Amino acid sequence: MPAEERLSVPNIDADLDAAPPAAVLWDMDGTLVDSEKVWTVSLHETAAWLGGELSVAAREDMIGSNMSRTLTIMFDDLGLPHDPDRMAGAERFMNERTERLFAQGLEWRPGALEALRMVRAAGWRNALVTNTERFLTEMALDGIGREHFAVTVCGDEVEHPKPAADPYLRAAALLGVDAAECLAVEDSPTGSLAAQRAGAAVLVVPCDIPVPAGPGRVLRESLVGLTPTDIRQAYRLVTGERAA
């Protein structure tokens, strides 16, 4: 899709008087930074450490997931019993390997840094909402920049991580707004579902796997060239769907 072709929705007039989102809630892995490739390395190495080989289908199912569900998928894929001690060992191995890879630096997704700066310049607040655990998120923030975000919420700080609504509901509460007044930016089916369950409008920019279209979602190929009008239009389209 050409860079000039923005939202994959019918061309609608930009109504700058329409209520904008109260905040923009950003996923991290695969949305802002190209860290899914890093996770792929650590996941395959963890599977090898367990004595097996991770299938492509299992890896794709893990995208956007939390640690508990990821380990369950991995052990099922490798045909291993859910032994708590062995799963805890696999979690430690995976975290240690991922930490070393994160320390080498993470690449931005195309247009992501400019999009964050644009949202702040337009007067909206950003929140980071990720299933990644806090200690790894802090490492990522060393490169991303904490100054972009009014609040950050991690997967180990809520009772139920994505695809549950909890992370997005917590971020909205910390911002003092309703999640239904926010626009979430996601790259995966898991994350998109979490945002929708929280009531947020969702701008979907797929990374490694396709994300199906559907009510409450606006699909976009890339964050490159994202404008305040694009943000307003995406939010307006979803809220218009709800009102119809």
Side-chain angles (χ1 to χ4, degrees):
M1 182 172 69
E4 293 80 8
E5 186 179 346
R6 303 196 192 288
L7 300 176
S8 57
V9 299
N11 186 23
I12 58 178
D13 293 333
D15 183 359
L16 298 181
D17 293 326
V24 181
L25 315 178
W26 300 85
D27 172 56
M28 184 176 76
D29 296 293
T31 299
L32 292 177
V33 291
D34 203 9
S35 49
E36 290 296 352
K37 293 180 175 61
V38 171
W39 281 107
T40 295
V41 172
S42 61
L43 286 164
H44 279 284
E45 290 186 352
T46 303
W49 180 77
L50 289 167
E53 182 176 349
L54 190 67
S55 70
V56 173
R59 172 61 188 112
E60 289 183 351
D61 196 23
M62 294 171 178
I63 291 176
S65 192
N66 59 78
M67 179 60 73
S68 176
R69 182 171 179 271
T70 292
L71 288 170
T72 297
I73 294 169
M74 178 175 290
F75 273 65
D76 287 345
D77 188 54
L78 300 179
L80 299 174
H82 293 188
D83 176 76
D85 290 338
R86 198 172 188 193
M87 294 182 86
E91 180 176 352
R92 286 192 298 271
F93 179 92
M94 190 189 310
N95 280 335
E96 290 169 1
R97 182 57 180 146
T98 307
E99 182 178 8
R100 290 196 296 271
L101 293 169
F102 268 42
Q104 297 174 16
L106 298 170
E107 294 183 6
W108 286 99
R109 291 288 297 152
L113 176 57
E114 293 78 10
L116 282 175
R117 290 171 173 168
M118 176 275 294
V119 169
R120 291 182 69 201
W124 296 308
R125 289 179 292 173
N126 288 317
L128 186 70
V129 186
T130 177
N131 259 353
T132 298
E133 295 180 359
R134 173 59 68 178
F135 84 100
L136 287 172
T137 300
E138 287 297 321
M139 295 183 67
L141 284 169
D142 288 340
I144 295 173
R146 292 169 180 79
E147 69 275 9
H148 295 297
F149 306 103
V151 301
T152 61
V153 175
C154 299
D156 55 343
E157 297 173 338
V158 293
E159 183 176 359
H160 303 292
K162 302 175 190 179
D166 295 28
Y168 280 107
L169 292 174
R170 176 173 172 79
L174 289 171
L175 290 170
V177 299
D178 193 311
E181 299 173 347
C182 298
L183 178 73
V185 187
E186 275 283 355
D187 75 297
S188 71
T190 297
S192 298
L193 181 58
Q196 284 182 273
R197 285 173 169 170
V202 190
L203 178 61
V204 185
V205 185
C207 180
D208 287 342
I209 57 174
V211 180
R217 302 177 180 181
V218 172
L219 268 65
R220 182 184 172 93
E221 186 174 281
S222 171
L223 290 173
V224 173
L226 189 72
T227 68
T229 297
D230 295 330
I231 295 287
R232 286 177 177 270
Q233 286 184 345
Y235 180 72
R236 179 186 175 198
L237 183 72
V238 173
T239 53
E241 287 175 351
R242 293 172 182 160

